[in-house]
């Protein structure tokens, strides 16, 4: 395979934004930024055997998810994703067709959001595939949904359902043996491989007077701890209010651990004022975007996040996925 030939073959033919002045082909990309707008930039890396395994993820799946997790971080700021750059470190066993298929997976998702691929980097690596995606987006000035914007008495919410991605991963890694054959396992596996970033909910949140947001990559408990820390508040959530798929409890008796600490749901969790909660909920309903109230923000106490259960209160530590633990 020839590096330059590969780059030529993944160069998009069309652009969605006329603001792209120079895309792939020069030393750097150039785009014209607007007044009254804040640029948002984020980068996340996916590594073979850390974030996915080749025996169950197709090149398209890997590409799709590498872009999705970054769009999710833009969504968690309340922004609109616009451009992306892709850096790949590829083992020699990969064919050009497989690499192109990975870009197809990215393109499948990128085109839904009218995103332009504007650059990247290609290197060889001895063993495992590494994919790093940078996404650039924008948000109206002053409207970003920062983690530091939660205030006492706010409502705490989460979009979609949680725990399904961890269930899917457990099925893929064959850690969960299915006892109940009525469960549609493909659904959970799909949730793990093809998370849907919640850009629309992020945009609705950015139109509120004040909203804090975080996307669920490391797990609900971890993300709520980050909001509580950044906002100097405490958060109390109710176990019985957590939105889960009705089949989740059939998969494993420890399904609550998946919901709280599993991660990779790429749903949004956040807070809005009590007054604005009904407005946000209504807007989400109108657009058929699932959102659920799960608790309240409190004045800061010694515990950042508390879970109300049938057996009393439990402190939710910042435990979840951690690369070095
Ligand atoms: N190696 C690094 N160098 C500089 N900044 C980093 C590095 N790793 C993470 N960060 C920054 O730390 C913050 C938290 O990172 P991370 O937990 O990966 O966020 P997220 O879960 O939203 O992807 C982000 O602002 C990110 O940009
Ligand atoms: C083979 C495999 N093992 C374990 C996991 C679980 N896992 C890997 S990374 C991760 C957390 C999210 O990834 P990270 O790189 O921390 O994303 P960020 O928080 O930066 O968005 C989880 C739950 C997985 N997806 N695949
Ligand atoms: Mg990250
Ligand atoms: Mg994030
Ligand atoms: Mg992330």
């Amino acid at each position: 395979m020839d590096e330059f030939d590969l780059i030529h073959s993944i160069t998009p033919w069309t652009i969605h934004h006329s603001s792209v002045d120079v895309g792939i082909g020069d030393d750097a990309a150039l785009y014209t930024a607007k007044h009254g707008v804040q640029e948002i930039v984020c980068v996340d890396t996916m590594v073979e055997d850390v974030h996915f395994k080749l025996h169950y993820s197709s090149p398209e799946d890997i590409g799709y998810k590498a872009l999705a997790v970054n769009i999710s971080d833009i969504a968690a700021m309340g922004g609109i994703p616009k451009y992306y750059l892709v850096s790949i470190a590829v083992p020699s066993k990969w064919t050009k067709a497989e690499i192109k298929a990975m870009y197809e997976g990215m393109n499948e998702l990128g085109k839904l959001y009218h995103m332009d691929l504007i650059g990247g980097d290609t290197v060889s690596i001895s063993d495992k595939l590494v994919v790093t995606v940078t996404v650039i987006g924008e948000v109206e000035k002053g409207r970003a949904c920062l983690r530091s914007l939660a205030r006492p008495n706010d409502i705490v919410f989460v979009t979609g359902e949680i725990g399904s991605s961890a269930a899917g991963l457990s099925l893929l890694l064959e850690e969960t043996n299915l006892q109940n054959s009525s469960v549609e396992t493909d659904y959970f596996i799909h949730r793990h491989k093809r998370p849907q970033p919640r850009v629309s909910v992020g945009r609705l949140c950015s139109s509120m007077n004040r909203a804090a947001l975080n996307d669920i990559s490391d797990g609900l408990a971890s993300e709520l701890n980050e909001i509580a820390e950044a906002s100097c508040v405490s958060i109390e959530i109710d176990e019985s209010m957590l939105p889960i798929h009705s089949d989740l409890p059939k998969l494993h008796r420890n399904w609550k651990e998946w919901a709280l600490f599993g991660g990779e749901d790429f749903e949004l969790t956040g807070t809005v004022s009590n007054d604005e909660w009904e407005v946000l909920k209504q807007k989400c309903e109108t657009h058929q975007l699932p959102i659920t109230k799960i608790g309240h923000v409190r004045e800061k106490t010694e515990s950042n996040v508390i879970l109300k259960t049938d057996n009393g209160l439990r402190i939710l530590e910042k435990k979840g996925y951690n690369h070095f633990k």
Side-chain angles (χ1 to χ4, degrees):
M1 188 185 350
D2 176 74
E3 182 190 336
F4 301 104
D5 187 32
L6 172 75
I7 293 167
H8 181 73
S9 78
I10 59 180
T11 301
W13 287 81
T14 53
I15 53 161
H16 293 101
H17 301 283
S18 57
S19 49
V20 176
D21 301 313
V22 178
I24 294 176
D26 211 310
D27 293 308
L30 276 180
Y31 57 87
T32 303
K34 279 183 278 186
H35 265 313
V37 165
Q38 283 177 304
E39 308 268 308
I40 314 169
V41 187
C42 63
V43 56
D44 265 335
T45 297
M46 285 197 2
V47 179
E48 181 181 342
D49 291 344
V50 174
H51 294 85
F52 58 87
K53 286 187 187 278
L54 286 185
H55 73 84
Y56 60 72
S57 292
S58 67
E60 287 90 342
D61 290 335
I62 297 165
Y64 175 100
K65 190 161 171 178
L67 182 58
V69 303
N70 278 285
I71 297 176
S72 178
D73 275 322
I74 300 284
M77 299 298 281
I80 304 167
K82 292 190 76 173
Y83 319 104
Y84 64 109
L85 298 97
V86 181
S87 166
I88 49 174
V90 195
S92 56
K93 65 173 186 238
W94 279 67
T95 64
K96 184 176 168 189
E98 286 170 328
I99 300 176
K100 286 195 71 180
M102 195 164 64
Y103 278 80
E104 260 317 301
M106 286 186 247
N107 186 40
E108 188 187 324
L109 184 64
K111 72 182 179 203
L112 287 182
Y113 296 102
H114 309 293
M115 295 174 71
D116 291 313
L117 170 64
I118 60 167
D121 193 27
T122 309
V123 295
S124 59
I125 195 166
S126 58
D127 198 9
K128 317 257 186 214
L129 178 74
V130 180
V131 186
T132 301
V133 177
T134 301
V135 169
I136 299 167
E138 63 182 37
V139 66
E140 297 79 2
K141 205 164 168 48
R143 304 234 62 100
C145 302
L146 309 179
R147 292 175 184 176
S148 57
L149 290 175
R151 298 290 175 264
N153 300 320
D154 278 1
I155 301 294
V156 182
F157 60 82
V158 67
T159 63
E161 78 205 22
I162 51 174
S164 300
S165 173
L169 176 63
S170 179
L171 289 162
L172 286 167
L173 297 178
E174 294 174 353
E175 290 168 354
T176 296
N177 292 317
L178 195 62
Q179 288 124 13
N180 191 326
S181 59
S182 70
V183 175
E184 192 63 65
T185 53
D186 284 355
Y187 169 81
F188 293 96
I189 288 170
H190 191 77
R191 290 276 308 186
H192 179 74
K193 289 187 188 170
R194 300 263 173 160
Q196 280 182 284
R198 292 287 186 185
V199 176
S200 304
V201 181
R203 292 300 293 153
L204 291 177
C205 290
S206 80
S207 72
M208 298 291 116
N209 285 322
R210 174 178 58 73
L213 279 183
N214 204 352
D215 73 321
I216 304 181
S217 54
D218 299 322
L220 181 71
S222 181
E223 316 303 345
L224 288 179
N225 266 279
E226 286 176 343
I227 292 177
E229 279 167 20
S231 300
C232 295
V233 294
S234 288
I235 286 174
E236 193 178 292
I237 59 168
D238 192 329
E239 190 177 76
S240 67
M241 293 164 97
L242 297 179
I244 52 142
H245 190 279
S246 56
D247 281 345
L248 190 73
K250 295 179 194 160
L251 285 170
H252 202 281
R253 62 190 157 77
N254 274 346
W255 60 271
K256 285 177 191 165
E257 297 293 299
W258 283 337
L260 294 167
F261 307 109
E264 292 187 287
D265 290 304
F266 297 102
E267 296 292 346
L268 297 178
T269 188
T271 77
V272 282
S273 71
N274 205 2
D275 297 342
E276 282 201 302
W277 165 243
E278 286 302 327
V279 180
L280 178 63
K281 197 172 88 165
Q282 197 56 55
K283 284 187 175 179
C284 284
E285 263 166 33
T286 308
H287 294 89
Q288 291 178 315
L289 299 165
I291 191 164
T292 310
K293 171 180 166 180
I294 57 170
H296 291 91
V297 179
R298 305 283 184 220
E299 295 283 354
K300 187 167 171 47
T301 62
E302 61 273 30
S303 325
N304 279 338
V305 184
I306 292 165
L307 180 73
K308 268 207 292 196
T309 74
D310 291 343
N311 304 320
L313 301 179
R314 166 182 172 191
I315 295 169
L316 281 187
E317 306 285 358
K318 194 175 175 178
K319 165 181 115 175
Y321 195 85
N322 185 314
H323 284 283
F324 300 110
K325 278 188 183 160

